[in-house]
Amino acid sequence: MKIVGIQASPRKNGNCDILMDEVFKSAKENGAETNKYYLDDYKIEPCHACCSCGDGVDCIVDDDCNEILNSVLDADVLIFSSPIYYGQMTAQGKLFTDRFYSISRNPQKSFEGKKVVLIFTHAAPTGTYDEYINLTKKALFEYIGFNVVDTIDIGGVQEPGDVKGLNDVISKAKEIGNNL
Ligand SMILES: Cc1cc2nc3c(=O)[nH]c(=O)nc-3n(C[C@H](O)[C@H](O)[C@H](O)COP(=O)(O)O)c2cc1C
């Protein structure tokens, strides 16, 4: 099983990253192959809505995003993780997820049936962004064909590493990795 992690937090070893690594760790113990992209390390332009992809051609924007999208297409499972910045995913995450359009509009490409796990962390209490995470963002992934198998929404974590002290959420991340 191939798992690709898309890390939309610019903080390496931050809360999102720690949770993604816990999922990876237990999945690897079960034989999974993992690969992680830190979006902040890549040049990713916004979708320019040229809609060339609707004609069955690859996205014509010449940046790093197509490589990452191809890696998601090649994987069985996507782990997408972002902190909440001003009530939404990070700008890095938004730039990337808007580029899903180049797959969902292309009749020769599809995310249909791939599993996705969503991980969101934030400083405000757990549940504050329930509607955004569990309705809006979950619906986005489902709309383009992913099967959302689990979601972690953990609040009350501000500083990088705060999540390490939360045994329940660490256990949940491990369990998710085990069940993939
Ligand atoms: C620019 C910025 C905006 C933020 N906006 C919010 C917010 O609107 N609500 C919230 O609860 N936390 C907010 N936070 C806190 C982060 O969501 C929180 O620290 C998160 O756990 C960071 O995850 P990371 O360690 O993986 O980067 C913000 C942090 C930054 C840097």
Side-chain angles (χ1 to χ4, degrees):
M1 180 177 50
K2 282 189 189 170
I3 305 179
V4 66
I6 300 295
Q7 186 51 262
S9 171
R11 277 178 180 170
K12 288 185 177 132
N13 304 315
N15 297 309
C16 289
D17 212 17
I18 290 165
L19 291 173
M20 186 179 283
D21 283 347
E22 290 295 341
V23 176
F24 275 10
K25 236 185 275 170
S26 46
K28 273 193 210 166
E29 280 164 17
N30 292 329
E33 189 187 309
T34 63
N35 184 18
K36 190 196 291 178
Y37 290 93
Y38 291 99
L39 295 182
D40 204 39
D41 288 348
Y42 293 89
K43 180 174 166 267
I44 300 178
E45 283 192 40
C47 172
H48 298 294
C50 69
C51 295
S52 306
C53 46
D55 301 328
V57 297
D58 286 346
C59 181
I60 61 169
V61 179
D62 184 19
D63 63 4
D64 298 328
C65 198
N66 294 323
E67 174 203 328
I68 307 176
L69 287 168
N70 283 333
S71 159
V72 176
L73 284 172
D74 187 46
D76 306 292
V77 183
L78 166 64
I79 316 288
F80 179 86
S81 184
S82 177
I84 295 290
Y85 279 9
Y86 295 110
Q88 302 172 43
M89 66 169 66
T90 60
Q92 291 89 336
K94 182 72 166 95
L95 285 173
F96 178 72
T97 54
D98 278 359
R99 297 285 292 282
F100 282 162
Y101 205 59
S102 67
I103 307 299
S104 59
R105 267 187 66 95
N106 187 328
Q108 284 151 34
K109 297 191 174 183
S110 171
F111 292 124
E112 204 62 45
K114 286 186 193 298
K115 291 181 183 176
V116 63
V117 173
L118 305 177
I119 301 174
F120 287 91
T121 73
H122 47 92
T126 302
T128 305
Y129 301 105
D130 191 42
E131 197 175 323
Y132 176 74
I133 294 168
N134 290 305
L135 292 176
T136 315
K137 288 302 116 182
K138 191 171 170 216
L140 152 74
F141 282 89
E142 285 173 349
Y143 177 68
I144 56 172
F146 283 99
N147 172 19
V148 182
V149 290
D150 230 317
T151 304
I152 294 180
D153 163 13
I154 184 70
V157 289
Q158 172 100 44
E159 302 305 324
D162 276 356
V163 80
K164 279 185 188 161
L166 304 177
N167 293 335
D168 284 2
V169 74
I170 296 289
S171 299
K172 180 171 179 180
K174 285 186 175 140
E175 193 186 317
I176 290 172
N178 262 325
N179 293 337
L180 286 173

